[in-house]
Amino acid sequence: MVDIDDLIRRVTQPPAPEPEPRTPTGSPTDPVPLHGGQGRLVRAVLPSVLVLGGSGSAGSSTTTLGLAAAAAVDGEGEIWPVAVDATLGGGDLGLRGCDAMPAVSTVQNWLSAEHPELPSTVGACSGQTTTGVRVLSRSPDPLPRRETLVSVARHLETAGLLAVFDAGAPVTSRLAAPLLSDPRVGLVITVAARPDAINRLQPSLSWLDEHFSEFVVGDAVIVLTEQVPDSGAAILEHVSAHLGSWVRAVMLVPFDIHLAGGGLISWHRLAAETRDAYLALLGELR
C-alpha cells in the first residue's frame, strides 16, 4: 500500500543539494591571506619579547628599540609595537628611542590610569619613534600595587599591541622573573662582543636553566652586540661553537656608528647591515 503522506513529502521536498567538490590539498607554503591581505603570508600573532642584558652596557636598550622598529617596518601597519622600559630603576629607553615625540608619562602613571588596556591610553602616555613604535618610559618608583610586567603585557595584548620589554641587566632581575615564567614570551639575551662579557655568559645561562628550566634557555636567542668595528666575527664563531647547542640561535648586531654615538636612535639612520640584523632577529623569534 502506498503511503500518501510519504509520497507528498517526496514530491514537495526540494532535492538534496549536490555535495561541493573537495578542495585539493595545497602546499604548506601556499600564501594565506590574513587581515585582508592580498595572498601575503602574515603572522597572526607575534608574542611579547623580553630583552635581558648579560651584563651592563650589553646593548639591551638598542636591541629593544631595533627589534620593535623591525616589527613595525616588517608588519607594514599590521603590527603595533610598544618598547617598554622594564629596568629596575629606569633606563634611557625613552631618551634614546623617542625621535618623533618624547615620552610624556611613565609606565607607573599609565598603569594607574582608569583603563590602561585601551590603545588611546597607551598612546596618551607614551613617546613615539619615526617608525611608529610607542615607547613607555619608567621612573625609579615601584610599579603600582599588584602590578607586574605580566599585567603590563596583558594590558598591551588586550590593546592589540606588541610588547618588547627592555629589562636590562642582570638576568637575575626580580622584575623580569614573572615574564621568564611565561613560556609564551620570547627571550633575547644581549652580550657585548668582548671576551670578558662572554666569560660571564655561561653562568647566566646556568642560572636561568636552574630557576626556569631548560626550555627557557633552549628557546632564547643570544645577540652579540659589536661595540668595536670588525671585532665580532671571531667571537660569534666561538660562542656559536660552545653555546649554540644551548639556545635557539646566536646572532650578531654589527658595529654601527649611529648606535655608538649615544644619542637619539633613528631606524632610517642605521646602516643597512644593522637593520638587516634586527629583521633577522625578528624572524628568529617567530
Side-chain angles (χ1 to χ4, degrees):
M1 178 179 292
V2 178
D3 187 333
I4 299 299
D5 291 336
D6 182 61
L7 180 61
I8 293 173
R9 187 165 52 250
R10 291 183 187 179
V11 172
T12 58
Q13 185 175 3
E18 293 291 329
E20 295 183 3
R22 295 184 62 183
T23 303
T25 303
S27 165
T29 57
D30 286 348
V32 180
L34 297 177
H35 303 300
Q38 302 299 316
R40 175 173 171 265
L41 183 61
V42 178
R43 183 178 175 87
V45 177
L46 187 67
S48 299
V49 180
L50 172 64
V51 181
L52 285 171
S55 61
S57 302
S60 65
S61 295
T62 56
T63 301
T64 297
L65 293 168
L67 181 58
V73 171
D74 186 67
E76 296 182 352
E78 296 178 5
I79 297 176
W80 298 274
V82 181
V84 182
D85 189 334
T87 58
L88 281 170
D92 62 352
L93 192 72
L95 294 175
R96 299 208 64 188
C98 300
D99 63 330
M101 182 181 72
V104 295
S105 191
T106 64
V107 172
Q108 292 94 325
N109 290 338
W110 164 67
L111 286 172
S112 299
E114 186 175 359
H115 293 290
E117 76 282 359
L118 294 179
S120 57
T121 307
V122 179
C125 294
S126 59
Q128 191 171 354
T129 75
T130 49
T131 57
V133 173
R134 291 289 181 175
V135 180
L136 280 169
S137 299
R138 177 189 167 90
S139 71
D141 301 323
L143 296 181
R145 187 169 181 268
R146 293 188 173 274
E147 298 284 3
T148 69
L149 293 186
V150 172
S151 55
V152 171
R154 183 176 66 247
H155 289 320
L156 294 177
E157 183 179 356
T158 301
L161 305 171
L162 167 65
V164 184
F165 294 94
D166 171 23
V171 298
T172 56
S173 167
R174 58 179 174 78
L175 194 62
L179 288 181
L180 286 169
S181 300
D182 188 342
R184 298 168 297 177
V185 177
L187 176 60
V188 174
I189 302 173
T190 62
V191 188
R194 303 190 314 264
D196 63 303
I198 300 305
N199 290 338
R200 295 193 296 270
L201 177 58
Q202 189 161 348
S204 296
L205 295 179
S206 298
W207 184 88
L208 289 170
D209 178 65
E210 179 182 350
H211 289 83
F212 297 98
S213 87
E214 61 187 287
F215 302 106
V216 169
V217 174
D219 206 37
V221 179
I222 295 175
V223 173
L224 305 176
T225 57
E226 190 177 58
Q227 300 179 9
V228 177
D230 304 321
S231 63
I235 293 179
L236 174 63
E237 182 179 355
H238 175 78
V239 175
S240 298
H242 290 83
L243 297 177
S245 61
W246 281 47
V247 297
R248 176 186 291 197
V250 180
M251 309 185 71
L252 176 70
V253 174
F255 175 82
D256 192 303
I257 191 66
H258 181 51
L259 295 179
L264 277 172
I265 298 172
S266 173
W267 172 263
H268 304 290
R269 294 184 62 190
L270 294 173
E273 294 82 1
T274 307
R275 294 196 300 266
D276 288 345
Y278 291 135
L279 288 166
L281 172 59
L282 178 69
E284 285 291 345
L285 292 167
R286 285 178 161 169

